[in-house]
Amino acid sequence: MKLHDLTVTQTAAGLRKGEFSPVELVEALLARIAETEPDVEAWEVVDADGALRAARWMTERMRERPSRRSLWGIPIGIKDIFDVKGLPTSAGFEPYRGKVAGEDAGMVTQLREAGAIVLGKTVTVQFATALDSPKACNPWDLSRTPGGSSSGSAASVAARQVAVATGTQTGGSILRPAAYCGVVGIKPTFGRISRYKVVPVSWSFDHPGFLLRSVADAALMLEAVAMHDPRDPFSAVQEAEDFVGAAASPLEAPELGLVMDLMDRAEPPVREAMEKAATQLAKAGARIRPIRLPVEMDRLLGAHFLIRVTEAAAVHAVQHAALGEHYEPNLRANIEIGQVLPAWLNVHSARLRRRYRAQMSDMFSGLDGLIAPTASNLPPDRSTGVGDPSFQVIWSFFGMPNITLPTGLSPERLPHGMQIIAPCFGEARMFRVAAWAESVFGPMPSALDAA
Amino acid sequence: MKMTPHMSRDEIQQALLDAAHNPLGEGGRHHMVSVAAQAARAIHSVLKEPLMPFSEEPEVAGGKIAP
């Protein structure tokens, strides 16, 4: 197996055993990027010098004394809305280009403390909010969107340029691109990961997370960064659990609720794929029962929209007034409409959210998790934007953790995925269910190398 | 901007378009119309729930607010 084909967990094991060095690994990934980037265009900046410098230092240190840090020598892509000291944070916004960060984001600090090597910054849609497809392409079909807003992160992991990249999700910006690109995406509970020095979209809903290629990797990465950060006022105080141990203990024959509201709205190829996936799980021992959202889905989407758009208007109020011409048109329209919405609508939506949270939590009663198609459709043509977020938004609205797994390929070789949803702070059980489901579905082929 | 819970979706959309500044000009008006339509759908949907205090919320001083 080539180094760029290894998952994070496999890479960490290989480094620990001395099968290859951090320098050999970084060089292999840089070669892979050089080979595939002209098609995929997943990176805003590749910091080859910085990554090699860190890798050389680590290689020297390993000769003296092996490190026990969980991510020692693991290269990672960072979505270009996180600050990385010494690199620009452009957020897809022209006036920010060349604006070099003086400090690492909270999540990046934790990644580095765990031993990770920043390989560069991955492409995002403008301010992780706009609807237009950015330059990044879907490695399964370059004419299709990789989804957004974590577009470059999903594309780079699918193209095996890197085994893991960070993402953020306000509506559906981790899980949807992950599903469209045939990789794993994890969005933990709201507040699990620090948002310090991350460009905000909407304070009530912004969740950092990861795009990667296995459930074990998702558990490893989350365990490394899930901690309280007093610099983020929304940071949760709950300690990380033994997520790695959870992912290593698959929950066989889980009891699952299949969310029919999403099945009803899924486009036919997605619905068929999800029915097939549910049948596979049932044959392997899962007990699956249909379940309905306790609240009309459109009302959840509506309340999320009204809070998000008014918060985004607040985020951009001053800057948009000064630099409006640099904003993408659909984002400008969102800001302008957000600025005139009556305040009582935001208050009402926030009250609805509080009210519905208890009802939504009741959905999990007697179940090990909920399952549903991750996205309503297969990755659409790039010209139509970054896809439909509605299947991911309802969980982001309540801060509930979810993870998407690839379930295979459509007849036209486009990936589809299944999401597993857990109640807040229920990641450990979610990983156990996901690890089992992953073993049922089997591995995904490589997007660029498969025939 | 005048907006009440009893307005139709179309009326809400028009009220938003009337109130909002359109920096995109006529050529970009379809972006404003699209977002206003999405907002009107959202507003219409959340207003199916009454604005009065919910039963699980504390009673407000002076008793229930008249509808």
Short mmCIF file of all heavy atoms in Angstrom, two decimals, chain A residues 295-296 298-303 305-306 308-309 320 329-330 332-334 336-337 340-342 344-345 348-349 351-352 354-356, chain B residues 1 3-5 16-17 19-24 31-32 35-36 38-39 42-43 45-57:
data_model
loop_
_atom_site.label_atom_id
_atom_site.label_comp_id
_atom_site.label_asym_id
_atom_site.label_seq_id
_atom_site.Cartn_x
_atom_site.Cartn_y
_atom_site.Cartn_z
N VAL A 295 -41.46 17.19 14.88
CA VAL A 295 -41.84 18.53 14.43
C VAL A 295 -41.75 18.55 12.91
O VAL A 295 -40.89 17.87 12.33
CB VAL A 295 -40.87 19.59 15.00
CG1 VAL A 295 -41.30 20.99 14.60
CG2 VAL A 295 -40.76 19.48 16.51
N GLU A 296 -42.62 19.33 12.31
CA GLU A 296 -42.59 19.47 10.85
C GLU A 296 -41.19 19.92 10.41
O GLU A 296 -40.64 20.89 10.94
CB GLU A 296 -43.62 20.53 10.47
CG GLU A 296 -44.00 20.57 9.02
CD GLU A 296 -44.98 21.72 8.77
OE1 GLU A 296 -45.99 21.79 9.48
OE2 GLU A 296 -44.68 22.52 7.87
N ASP A 298 -40.02 21.38 7.79
CA ASP A 298 -39.89 22.74 7.23
C ASP A 298 -39.80 23.80 8.34
O ASP A 298 -39.18 24.84 8.15
CB ASP A 298 -41.07 23.07 6.31
CG ASP A 298 -40.91 22.40 4.95
OD1 ASP A 298 -39.76 22.07 4.60
OD2 ASP A 298 -41.92 22.20 4.27
N ARG A 299 -40.43 23.51 9.48
CA ARG A 299 -40.37 24.49 10.56
C ARG A 299 -38.97 24.51 11.18
O ARG A 299 -38.44 25.55 11.55
CB ARG A 299 -41.43 24.19 11.63
CG ARG A 299 -41.79 25.42 12.43
CD ARG A 299 -43.01 25.19 13.29
NE ARG A 299 -44.09 24.60 12.52
CZ ARG A 299 -45.04 23.82 13.04
NH1 ARG A 299 -45.01 23.54 14.33
NH2 ARG A 299 -45.99 23.33 12.30
N LEU A 300 -38.36 23.32 11.28
CA LEU A 300 -36.98 23.27 11.79
C LEU A 300 -36.03 24.00 10.83
O LEU A 300 -35.18 24.78 11.26
CB LEU A 300 -36.53 21.81 11.94
CG LEU A 300 -37.35 20.94 12.88
CD1 LEU A 300 -36.80 19.52 12.90
CD2 LEU A 300 -37.35 21.52 14.29
N LEU A 301 -36.21 23.74 9.54
CA LEU A 301 -35.35 24.40 8.55
C LEU A 301 -35.58 25.91 8.59
O LEU A 301 -34.63 26.71 8.47
CB LEU A 301 -35.64 23.87 7.15
CG LEU A 301 -35.36 22.38 6.91
CD1 LEU A 301 -35.82 21.97 5.50
CD2 LEU A 301 -33.88 22.07 7.08
N GLY A 302 -36.84 26.31 8.77
CA GLY A 302 -37.17 27.73 8.79
C GLY A 302 -36.55 28.43 9.98
O GLY A 302 -35.96 29.52 9.86
N ALA A 303 -36.65 27.82 11.15
CA ALA A 303 -36.09 28.44 12.35
C ALA A 303 -34.57 28.53 12.25
O ALA A 303 -33.96 29.54 12.64
CB ALA A 303 -36.49 27.65 13.59
N PHE A 305 -32.86 28.76 9.46
CA PHE A 305 -32.57 29.80 8.47
C PHE A 305 -32.63 31.19 9.11
O PHE A 305 -31.74 32.02 8.91
CB PHE A 305 -33.56 29.70 7.31
CG PHE A 305 -33.42 30.81 6.30
CD1 PHE A 305 -32.54 30.71 5.23
CD2 PHE A 305 -34.15 31.99 6.44
CE1 PHE A 305 -32.39 31.74 4.33
CE2 PHE A 305 -34.00 33.02 5.53
CZ PHE A 305 -33.13 32.89 4.47
N LEU A 306 -33.69 31.43 9.88
CA LEU A 306 -33.90 32.79 10.41
C LEU A 306 -32.82 33.17 11.43
O LEU A 306 -32.37 34.32 11.46
CB LEU A 306 -35.29 32.89 11.03
CG LEU A 306 -36.43 32.78 10.01
CD1 LEU A 306 -37.77 32.63 10.70
CD2 LEU A 306 -36.43 34.01 9.09
N ARG A 308 -29.74 31.76 11.50
CA ARG A 308 -28.46 31.81 10.77
C ARG A 308 -28.32 33.10 9.98
O ARG A 308 -27.27 33.76 10.02
CB ARG A 308 -28.33 30.62 9.81
CG ARG A 308 -27.05 30.63 9.00
CD ARG A 308 -26.98 29.52 7.98
NE ARG A 308 -28.01 29.55 6.96
CZ ARG A 308 -28.05 30.40 5.93
NH1 ARG A 308 -27.11 31.31 5.78
NH2 ARG A 308 -29.02 30.35 5.05
N VAL A 309 -29.38 33.48 9.28
CA VAL A 309 -29.24 34.61 8.38
C VAL A 309 -29.14 35.93 9.16
O VAL A 309 -28.42 36.84 8.76
CB VAL A 309 -30.40 34.60 7.35
CG1 VAL A 309 -31.65 35.25 7.89
CG2 VAL A 309 -30.00 35.22 6.04
N HIS A 320 -19.35 44.31 5.38
CA HIS A 320 -20.12 44.32 4.14
C HIS A 320 -20.39 45.76 3.68
O HIS A 320 -20.39 46.06 2.48
CB HIS A 320 -21.43 43.56 4.34
CG HIS A 320 -22.28 43.49 3.11
ND1 HIS A 320 -23.47 44.16 2.97
CD2 HIS A 320 -22.08 42.85 1.94
CE1 HIS A 320 -23.97 43.93 1.77
NE2 HIS A 320 -23.16 43.13 1.12
N PRO A 329 -22.65 37.44 -4.86
CA PRO A 329 -24.01 38.02 -4.86
C PRO A 329 -24.99 37.33 -3.94
O PRO A 329 -25.76 37.99 -3.24
CB PRO A 329 -24.43 37.88 -6.33
CG PRO A 329 -23.17 37.84 -7.10
CD PRO A 329 -22.15 37.18 -6.22
N ASN A 330 -24.97 35.99 -3.89
CA ASN A 330 -25.98 35.33 -3.04
C ASN A 330 -25.72 35.60 -1.57
O ASN A 330 -26.64 35.67 -0.75
CB ASN A 330 -26.07 33.83 -3.34
CG ASN A 330 -24.78 33.10 -3.04
OD1 ASN A 330 -24.37 33.01 -1.90
ND2 ASN A 330 -24.13 32.57 -4.08
N ARG A 332 -24.36 38.43 -0.44
CA ARG A 332 -24.82 39.82 -0.25
C ARG A 332 -26.33 39.83 -0.02
O ARG A 332 -26.82 40.54 0.85
CB ARG A 332 -24.50 40.67 -1.48
CG ARG A 332 -23.03 40.82 -1.77
CD ARG A 332 -22.77 41.98 -2.71
NE ARG A 332 -22.81 43.23 -1.95
CZ ARG A 332 -22.54 44.42 -2.48
NH1 ARG A 332 -22.22 44.52 -3.75
NH2 ARG A 332 -22.58 45.50 -1.74
N ALA A 333 -27.04 39.06 -0.83
CA ALA A 333 -28.50 39.03 -0.68
C ALA A 333 -28.89 38.49 0.69
O ALA A 333 -29.80 39.01 1.34
CB ALA A 333 -29.11 38.17 -1.79
N ASN A 334 -28.19 37.46 1.16
CA ASN A 334 -28.46 36.92 2.50
C ASN A 334 -28.24 37.99 3.57
O ASN A 334 -29.03 38.11 4.52
CB ASN A 334 -27.55 35.73 2.79
CG ASN A 334 -28.19 34.41 2.43
OD1 ASN A 334 -28.92 33.83 3.22
ND2 ASN A 334 -27.95 33.93 1.21
N GLU A 336 -28.25 41.32 3.21
CA GLU A 336 -29.22 42.42 3.10
C GLU A 336 -30.58 42.01 3.66
O GLU A 336 -31.22 42.78 4.39
CB GLU A 336 -29.37 42.88 1.64
CG GLU A 336 -28.11 43.51 1.05
CD GLU A 336 -27.79 44.89 1.63
OE1 GLU A 336 -28.61 45.43 2.38
OE2 GLU A 336 -26.69 45.39 1.33
N ILE A 337 -31.04 40.82 3.33
CA ILE A 337 -32.33 40.35 3.85
C ILE A 337 -32.22 40.13 5.36
O ILE A 337 -33.11 40.48 6.13
CB ILE A 337 -32.80 39.07 3.13
CG1 ILE A 337 -33.07 39.34 1.64
CG2 ILE A 337 -34.03 38.47 3.81
CD1 ILE A 337 -34.26 40.21 1.32
N VAL A 340 -32.83 43.17 7.56
CA VAL A 340 -34.17 43.78 7.72
C VAL A 340 -35.18 42.85 8.40
O VAL A 340 -36.32 43.25 8.63
CB VAL A 340 -34.75 44.26 6.36
CG1 VAL A 340 -33.83 45.30 5.73
CG2 VAL A 340 -34.98 43.10 5.40
N LEU A 341 -34.77 41.64 8.72
CA LEU A 341 -35.71 40.75 9.40
C LEU A 341 -36.01 41.29 10.79
O LEU A 341 -35.09 41.68 11.52
CB LEU A 341 -35.11 39.33 9.51
CG LEU A 341 -35.09 38.51 8.22
CD1 LEU A 341 -34.26 37.25 8.41
CD2 LEU A 341 -36.50 38.14 7.79
N PRO A 342 -37.28 41.32 11.19
CA PRO A 342 -37.62 41.82 12.52
C PRO A 342 -36.98 40.96 13.61
O PRO A 342 -36.91 39.72 13.49
CB PRO A 342 -39.14 41.70 12.58
CG PRO A 342 -39.59 41.57 11.16
CD PRO A 342 -38.46 40.92 10.42
N TRP A 344 -38.05 40.10 16.42
CA TRP A 344 -38.92 39.13 17.09
C TRP A 344 -38.92 37.77 16.39
O TRP A 344 -39.23 36.75 17.01
CB TRP A 344 -40.34 39.68 17.28
CG TRP A 344 -41.08 40.17 16.05
CD1 TRP A 344 -41.16 41.44 15.60
CD2 TRP A 344 -41.87 39.38 15.15
NE1 TRP A 344 -41.94 41.51 14.46
CE2 TRP A 344 -42.39 40.26 14.16
CE3 TRP A 344 -42.19 38.03 15.05
CZ2 TRP A 344 -43.19 39.82 13.11
CZ3 TRP A 344 -42.99 37.58 14.02
CH2 TRP A 344 -43.48 38.47 13.05
N LEU A 345 -38.56 37.75 15.12
CA LEU A 345 -38.49 36.45 14.43
C LEU A 345 -37.30 35.64 14.93
O LEU A 345 -37.37 34.41 15.07
CB LEU A 345 -38.37 36.67 12.92
CG LEU A 345 -39.68 36.99 12.22
CD1 LEU A 345 -39.41 37.46 10.80
CD2 LEU A 345 -40.60 35.77 12.22
N HIS A 348 -38.31 34.39 18.38
CA HIS A 348 -39.29 33.30 18.26
C HIS A 348 -38.60 32.00 17.81
O HIS A 348 -38.86 30.93 18.37
CB HIS A 348 -40.36 33.72 17.24
CG HIS A 348 -41.47 32.73 17.07
ND1 HIS A 348 -42.23 32.27 18.13
CD2 HIS A 348 -41.96 32.11 15.96
CE1 HIS A 348 -43.12 31.40 17.67
NE2 HIS A 348 -42.98 31.30 16.36
N SER A 349 -37.70 32.10 16.86
CA SER A 349 -36.99 30.91 16.37
C SER A 349 -36.13 30.30 17.46
O SER A 349 -36.05 29.07 17.59
CB SER A 349 -36.12 31.27 15.16
OG SER A 349 -36.93 31.78 14.12
N ARG A 351 -36.71 30.48 20.64
CA ARG A 351 -37.61 29.83 21.61
C ARG A 351 -38.09 28.48 21.06
O ARG A 351 -38.20 27.50 21.79
CB ARG A 351 -38.80 30.74 21.90
CG ARG A 351 -38.43 31.95 22.75
CD ARG A 351 -39.55 32.97 22.77
NE ARG A 351 -40.72 32.52 23.51
CZ ARG A 351 -41.98 32.64 23.07
NH1 ARG A 351 -42.22 33.15 21.89
NH2 ARG A 351 -42.98 32.22 23.80
N LEU A 352 -38.38 28.44 19.78
CA LEU A 352 -38.81 27.17 19.18
C LEU A 352 -37.72 26.12 19.32
O LEU A 352 -37.97 24.96 19.62
CB LEU A 352 -39.15 27.36 17.71
CG LEU A 352 -40.41 28.17 17.39
CD1 LEU A 352 -40.58 28.30 15.87
CD2 LEU A 352 -41.64 27.51 18.00
N ARG A 354 -35.42 25.89 21.58
CA ARG A 354 -35.38 25.41 22.97
C ARG A 354 -36.51 24.43 23.22
O ARG A 354 -36.34 23.38 23.82
CB ARG A 354 -35.53 26.61 23.91
CG ARG A 354 -34.47 26.67 24.96
CD ARG A 354 -34.49 27.87 25.85
NE ARG A 354 -35.58 28.80 25.83
CZ ARG A 354 -35.52 30.02 25.30
NH1 ARG A 354 -34.41 30.43 24.73
NH2 ARG A 354 -36.55 30.84 25.34
N ARG A 355 -37.66 24.77 22.71
CA ARG A 355 -38.84 23.95 22.95
C ARG A 355 -38.72 22.57 22.26
O ARG A 355 -39.06 21.55 22.83
CB ARG A 355 -40.07 24.68 22.41
CG ARG A 355 -41.34 23.93 22.63
CD ARG A 355 -42.48 24.62 21.92
NE ARG A 355 -43.72 24.34 22.62
CZ ARG A 355 -44.92 24.67 22.15
NH1 ARG A 355 -45.03 25.30 21.03
NH2 ARG A 355 -46.00 24.38 22.82
N TYR A 356 -38.25 22.59 21.03
CA TYR A 356 -38.20 21.34 20.26
C TYR A 356 -37.07 20.42 20.70
O TYR A 356 -37.09 19.22 20.41
CB TYR A 356 -38.02 21.64 18.77
CG TYR A 356 -39.17 22.39 18.12
CD1 TYR A 356 -38.96 23.19 17.02
CD2 TYR A 356 -40.48 22.25 18.59
CE1 TYR A 356 -39.99 23.87 16.39
CE2 TYR A 356 -41.52 22.93 17.98
CZ TYR A 356 -41.27 23.74 16.89
OH TYR A 356 -42.30 24.40 16.28
N MET B 1 -40.18 48.37 8.67
CA MET B 1 -40.92 47.41 7.84
C MET B 1 -42.12 46.88 8.62
O MET B 1 -41.98 46.53 9.79
CB MET B 1 -40.02 46.25 7.46
CG MET B 1 -40.75 45.16 6.71
SD MET B 1 -39.69 43.80 6.20
CE MET B 1 -38.92 43.34 7.71
N MET B 3 -44.52 43.97 9.36
CA MET B 3 -44.72 42.54 9.15
C MET B 3 -45.52 41.99 10.32
O MET B 3 -45.20 42.26 11.48
CB MET B 3 -43.37 41.81 9.07
CG MET B 3 -43.53 40.34 8.68
SD MET B 3 -41.95 39.48 8.62
CE MET B 3 -41.15 40.28 7.27
N THR B 4 -46.57 41.29 10.01
CA THR B 4 -47.40 40.72 11.07
C THR B 4 -47.52 39.21 10.84
O THR B 4 -47.33 38.72 9.72
CB THR B 4 -48.82 41.33 11.06
OG1 THR B 4 -49.49 40.86 9.88
CG2 THR B 4 -48.77 42.84 11.06
N PRO B 5 -47.86 38.50 11.90
CA PRO B 5 -47.98 37.04 11.78
C PRO B 5 -49.10 36.60 10.83
O PRO B 5 -49.16 35.43 10.47
CB PRO B 5 -48.29 36.60 13.22
CG PRO B 5 -47.82 37.70 14.09
CD PRO B 5 -47.99 38.96 13.29
N LEU B 16 -40.21 42.13 2.52
CA LEU B 16 -38.75 42.02 2.68
C LEU B 16 -38.04 42.71 1.52
O LEU B 16 -37.06 43.45 1.72
CB LEU B 16 -38.33 40.55 2.74
CG LEU B 16 -38.71 39.79 4.01
CD1 LEU B 16 -38.46 38.29 3.85
CD2 LEU B 16 -37.93 40.32 5.21
N LEU B 17 -38.51 42.48 0.32
CA LEU B 17 -37.87 43.09 -0.86
C LEU B 17 -38.02 44.61 -0.83
O LEU B 17 -37.09 45.35 -1.21
CB LEU B 17 -38.46 42.52 -2.15
CG LEU B 17 -38.03 41.09 -2.47
CD1 LEU B 17 -38.85 40.52 -3.62
CD2 LEU B 17 -36.54 41.03 -2.81
N ALA B 19 -38.20 46.40 1.87
CA ALA B 19 -37.41 46.97 2.97
C ALA B 19 -35.91 46.88 2.73
O ALA B 19 -35.15 47.74 3.17
CB ALA B 19 -37.76 46.25 4.27
N ALA B 20 -35.49 45.82 2.04
CA ALA B 20 -34.05 45.57 1.92
C ALA B 20 -33.44 46.44 0.84
O ALA B 20 -34.05 46.70 -0.20
CB ALA B 20 -33.81 44.10 1.61
N HIS B 21 -32.21 46.87 1.11
CA HIS B 21 -31.42 47.55 0.10
C HIS B 21 -30.95 46.49 -0.91
O HIS B 21 -30.54 45.41 -0.51
CB HIS B 21 -30.22 48.21 0.80
CG HIS B 21 -29.17 48.72 -0.14
ND1 HIS B 21 -29.45 49.69 -1.08
CD2 HIS B 21 -27.86 48.41 -0.26
CE1 HIS B 21 -28.34 49.94 -1.75
NE2 HIS B 21 -27.36 49.18 -1.28
N ASN B 22 -31.04 46.81 -2.19
CA ASN B 22 -30.52 45.88 -3.20
C ASN B 22 -29.24 46.44 -3.80
O ASN B 22 -29.29 47.30 -4.68
CB ASN B 22 -31.57 45.64 -4.31
CG ASN B 22 -30.99 44.80 -5.45
OD1 ASN B 22 -29.93 44.17 -5.30
ND2 ASN B 22 -31.67 44.78 -6.59
N PRO B 23 -28.10 45.95 -3.34
CA PRO B 23 -26.85 46.49 -3.84
C PRO B 23 -26.45 45.85 -5.17
O PRO B 23 -25.43 46.21 -5.75
CB PRO B 23 -25.84 46.11 -2.75
CG PRO B 23 -26.39 44.83 -2.19
CD PRO B 23 -27.88 44.90 -2.32
N LEU B 24 -27.24 44.89 -5.64
CA LEU B 24 -26.84 44.09 -6.80
C LEU B 24 -27.40 44.63 -8.11
O LEU B 24 -27.07 44.14 -9.18
CB LEU B 24 -27.29 42.64 -6.61
CG LEU B 24 -26.74 41.97 -5.34
CD1 LEU B 24 -27.48 40.66 -5.06
CD2 LEU B 24 -25.25 41.71 -5.49
N HIS B 31 -31.08 37.24 -7.09
CA HIS B 31 -30.50 36.75 -5.84
C HIS B 31 -31.33 37.25 -4.65
O HIS B 31 -31.60 36.50 -3.71
CB HIS B 31 -29.06 37.25 -5.68
CG HIS B 31 -28.09 36.65 -6.66
ND1 HIS B 31 -27.72 35.33 -6.63
CD2 HIS B 31 -27.45 37.20 -7.72
CE1 HIS B 31 -26.86 35.08 -7.61
NE2 HIS B 31 -26.69 36.20 -8.29
N MET B 32 -31.73 38.52 -4.72
CA MET B 32 -32.56 39.09 -3.64
C MET B 32 -33.92 38.39 -3.58
O MET B 32 -34.40 38.05 -2.49
CB MET B 32 -32.77 40.60 -3.87
CG MET B 32 -31.51 41.43 -3.88
SD MET B 32 -30.66 41.48 -2.29
CE MET B 32 -31.79 42.42 -1.30
N VAL B 35 -33.51 34.83 -2.02
CA VAL B 35 -33.32 34.82 -0.55
C VAL B 35 -34.60 35.30 0.14
O VAL B 35 -35.00 34.75 1.18
CB VAL B 35 -32.11 35.67 -0.14
CG1 VAL B 35 -31.97 35.71 1.38
CG2 VAL B 35 -30.83 35.12 -0.75
N ALA B 36 -35.26 36.31 -0.43
CA ALA B 36 -36.52 36.79 0.17
C ALA B 36 -37.57 35.68 0.17
O ALA B 36 -38.33 35.52 1.13
CB ALA B 36 -37.02 38.02 -0.57
N GLN B 38 -36.97 32.47 0.25
CA GLN B 38 -36.56 31.49 1.27
C GLN B 38 -36.93 32.00 2.66
O GLN B 38 -37.42 31.25 3.51
CB GLN B 38 -35.05 31.26 1.16
CG GLN B 38 -34.58 29.98 1.81
CD GLN B 38 -33.07 29.78 1.68
OE1 GLN B 38 -32.39 30.50 0.95
NE2 GLN B 38 -32.56 28.80 2.40
N ALA B 39 -36.67 33.29 2.89
CA ALA B 39 -37.00 33.88 4.20
C ALA B 39 -38.51 33.85 4.43
O ALA B 39 -38.97 33.54 5.53
CB ALA B 39 -36.48 35.31 4.26
N ALA B 42 -39.55 30.47 5.43
CA ALA B 42 -39.11 30.20 6.80
C ALA B 42 -40.04 30.90 7.79
O ALA B 42 -40.48 30.31 8.78
CB ALA B 42 -37.67 30.67 6.99
N ILE B 43 -40.34 32.16 7.52
CA ILE B 43 -41.19 32.94 8.43
C ILE B 43 -42.58 32.32 8.52
O ILE B 43 -43.13 32.12 9.59
CB ILE B 43 -41.26 34.41 7.97
CG1 ILE B 43 -39.88 35.07 8.10
CG2 ILE B 43 -42.30 35.19 8.76
CD1 ILE B 43 -39.75 36.40 7.37
N SER B 45 -43.43 29.38 8.03
CA SER B 45 -43.38 28.09 8.71
C SER B 45 -43.28 28.25 10.23
O SER B 45 -44.00 27.59 10.99
CB SER B 45 -42.19 27.31 8.16
OG SER B 45 -42.06 26.11 8.82
N VAL B 46 -42.40 29.14 10.70
CA VAL B 46 -42.25 29.26 12.17
C VAL B 46 -43.46 29.95 12.79
O VAL B 46 -43.73 29.77 13.98
CB VAL B 46 -40.95 30.01 12.58
CG1 VAL B 46 -39.71 29.28 12.08
CG2 VAL B 46 -40.95 31.46 12.12
N LEU B 47 -44.19 30.71 11.99
CA LEU B 47 -45.35 31.39 12.56
C LEU B 47 -46.56 30.48 12.68
O LEU B 47 -47.62 30.90 13.16
CB LEU B 47 -45.69 32.64 11.75
CG LEU B 47 -44.68 33.78 11.94
CD1 LEU B 47 -45.06 35.00 11.12
CD2 LEU B 47 -44.55 34.16 13.41
N LYS B 48 -46.40 29.22 12.29
CA LYS B 48 -47.46 28.25 12.58
C LYS B 48 -47.48 27.95 14.08
O LYS B 48 -48.45 27.38 14.58
CB LYS B 48 -47.25 26.97 11.77
CG LYS B 48 -47.58 27.17 10.30
CD LYS B 48 -47.35 25.90 9.51
CE LYS B 48 -47.60 26.15 8.03
NZ LYS B 48 -47.03 25.10 7.19
N GLU B 49 -46.40 28.25 14.76
CA GLU B 49 -46.38 28.14 16.22
C GLU B 49 -46.75 29.51 16.78
O GLU B 49 -46.23 30.53 16.32
CB GLU B 49 -44.97 27.76 16.71
CG GLU B 49 -44.59 26.33 16.43
CD GLU B 49 -45.10 25.36 17.49
OE1 GLU B 49 -45.97 25.76 18.30
OE2 GLU B 49 -44.63 24.21 17.48
N PRO B 50 -47.60 29.57 17.79
CA PRO B 50 -48.02 30.87 18.32
C PRO B 50 -46.86 31.61 18.96
O PRO B 50 -45.93 31.01 19.47
CB PRO B 50 -49.08 30.50 19.35
CG PRO B 50 -48.80 29.08 19.71
CD PRO B 50 -48.21 28.43 18.50
N LEU B 51 -46.95 32.93 18.91
CA LEU B 51 -45.92 33.76 19.52
C LEU B 51 -46.13 33.89 21.03
O LEU B 51 -45.26 34.39 21.73
CB LEU B 51 -45.95 35.16 18.90
CG LEU B 51 -45.41 35.25 17.48
CD1 LEU B 51 -45.84 36.56 16.82
CD2 LEU B 51 -43.90 35.13 17.46
N MET B 52 -47.28 33.43 21.52
CA MET B 52 -47.55 33.52 22.96
C MET B 52 -46.60 32.60 23.71
O MET B 52 -46.04 31.66 23.13
CB MET B 52 -48.99 33.10 23.23
CG MET B 52 -50.01 34.09 22.73
SD MET B 52 -51.68 33.54 23.04
CE MET B 52 -51.83 32.19 21.91
N PRO B 53 -46.43 32.82 25.02
CA PRO B 53 -45.54 31.94 25.79
C PRO B 53 -46.00 30.49 25.69
O PRO B 53 -47.20 30.20 25.70
CB PRO B 53 -45.69 32.46 27.22
CG PRO B 53 -46.12 33.87 27.07
CD PRO B 53 -46.95 33.91 25.82
N PHE B 54 -45.06 29.58 25.57
CA PHE B 54 -45.39 28.16 25.52
C PHE B 54 -45.74 27.69 26.93
O PHE B 54 -45.33 28.29 27.91
CB PHE B 54 -44.20 27.37 25.00
CG PHE B 54 -43.70 27.84 23.66
CD1 PHE B 54 -42.34 27.96 23.41
CD2 PHE B 54 -44.59 28.17 22.65
CE1 PHE B 54 -41.87 28.39 22.18
CE2 PHE B 54 -44.14 28.60 21.41
CZ PHE B 54 -42.78 28.70 21.19
N SER B 55 -46.45 26.57 26.99
CA SER B 55 -46.90 26.10 28.30
C SER B 55 -45.71 25.81 29.23
O SER B 55 -45.82 25.95 30.44
CB SER B 55 -47.76 24.85 28.12
OG SER B 55 -46.99 23.86 27.47
N GLU B 56 -44.57 25.42 28.64
CA GLU B 56 -43.44 25.07 29.50
C GLU B 56 -42.62 26.30 29.90
O GLU B 56 -41.67 26.19 30.65
CB GLU B 56 -42.54 24.03 28.82
CG GLU B 56 -41.86 24.49 27.54
CD GLU B 56 -42.70 24.23 26.29
OE1 GLU B 56 -43.94 24.18 26.40
OE2 GLU B 56 -42.09 24.08 25.22
N GLU B 57 -42.98 27.46 29.35
CA GLU B 57 -42.27 28.67 29.73
C GLU B 57 -42.99 29.33 30.90
O GLU B 57 -44.20 29.17 31.07
CB GLU B 57 -42.23 29.65 28.55
CG GLU B 57 -41.30 29.18 27.44
CD GLU B 57 -41.25 30.14 26.27
OE1 GLU B 57 -42.24 30.85 26.03
OE2 GLU B 57 -40.23 30.16 25.58
#
